[in-house]
Amino acid sequence: MVISFVGWALSFIDGGAPIRQLEPIPDDVPPARGEAVPVVDIHAPGRTSSQLDFWAQPIAADISVSAQAVAAYGNAELVAEGTWPGCHISWNTLAGIGHVETRHGTYSGKLFGGSALNADGVATPPIIGIPLDGSPGVAEIPDTDGGALDGDPDFDRAVGPMQFIPESWGRFGLDANGDGVADPNQIDDAALSAAHLLCENGGDLSTPEGWTRAVHSYNMSTKYLLDVRDAAAAFALRQPAL
């Protein structure tokens, strides 16, 4: 068995390593922009992100993110260009947020069985955070929506793929999939709403100051900012975030 294993291992010397070699992650702020999003008709009825499937599929395969999520981030970038033209937000910055928050709608906080985006782009089962009840290390945010979004009538909880608290969703939540409802559990809506929050608070995200201000408005943590930067930079290189 040992001889067989050594022979198998040596077979990779001439054929290249079996594991993908990832490039070093630059530490630039803001991170480099990801692959350009092709122009589609963002004013068409229905779920406009579906027009980006042809673009999202190969990128998704390279970065190990669902094509639905990649298309949602790309769609949000295109909408932001027309709605907040001075913002210059990139799809991979949104993907960096999505990666850190919920691994693009696939993390549930449970030991077994995470969530997944269904055919409509809705995180199922819903991703609901812990109660923001002021316990050690946790902010205190009393309920702002009667439990309508998070099921908690006492304290707010973060909801959905981009982890919006109900109070913020009330200010920034937008409908991006054309169904007439702004739903924090739906990836297109969540991605565009995150762009809204970041652009509103950051200003010009093509500058170090604007990008930093925007990400800190999502979470005032240096570690969070660095994690988002590294994920966004990895996606710009078309490789997975660690």
Side-chain angles (χ1 to χ4, degrees):
M1 289 181 63
V2 172
I3 294 173
S4 297
F5 175 78
V6 171
W8 173 83
L10 291 174
S11 71
F12 288 107
I13 292 178
D14 292 331
I19 299 175
R20 178 180 176 185
Q21 299 299 307
L22 302 181
E23 296 181 45
I25 301 299
D27 60 4
D28 300 326
V29 174
R33 297 184 72 89
E35 187 165 333
V37 184
V39 176
V40 298
D41 184 4
I42 57 173
H43 303 293
R47 193 177 179 189
T48 56
S49 67
S50 64
Q51 300 176 58
L52 291 170
D53 284 347
F54 74 95
W55 167 81
Q57 289 283 354
I59 296 174
D62 286 345
I63 69 175
S64 299
V65 176
S66 74
Q68 277 201 93
V70 175
Y73 301 137
N75 185 70
E77 178 183 316
L78 293 180
V79 174
E81 285 178 359
T83 308
W84 310 288
C87 177
H88 306 119
I89 194 167
S90 66
W91 69 265
N92 55 302
T93 283
L94 292 168
I97 298 280
H99 173 81
V100 174
E101 292 291 350
T102 68
R103 295 302 190 266
H104 319 284
T106 65
Y107 174 79
S108 69
K110 300 175 183 176
L111 184 59
F112 298 105
S115 294
L117 299 179
N118 68 17
D120 297 317
V122 177
T124 307
I127 303 173
I128 308 294
I130 62 172
L132 300 176
D133 57 6
S135 56
V138 176
E140 181 174 352
I141 304 178
D143 174 67
T144 61
D145 71 332
L149 293 176
D150 57 14
D152 190 335
D154 299 315
F155 295 96
D156 272 355
R157 298 174 181 234
V159 179
M162 302 300 271
Q163 288 290 276
F164 272 90
I165 61 172
E167 185 275 332
S168 292
W169 187 258
R171 288 188 288 141
F172 300 107
L174 296 169
D175 171 35
N177 68 340
D179 67 356
V181 178
D183 180 2
N185 297 293
Q186 204 280 330
I187 188 65
D188 298 21
D189 293 1
L192 179 59
S193 301
H196 185 193
L197 186 157
L198 294 167
C199 290
E200 185 77 18
N201 289 291
D204 184 355
L205 271 66
S206 68
T207 67
E209 298 79 11
W211 194 89
T212 298
R213 187 166 53 244
V215 176
H216 272 162
S217 74
Y218 222 96
N219 187 315
M220 185 56 76
S221 160
T222 298
K223 182 180 185 306
Y224 183 88
L225 184 142
L226 295 177
D227 287 346
V228 170
R229 179 202 65 187
D230 289 349
F235 298 146
L237 294 171
R238 285 188 66 152
Q239 63 189 34
L242 300 179

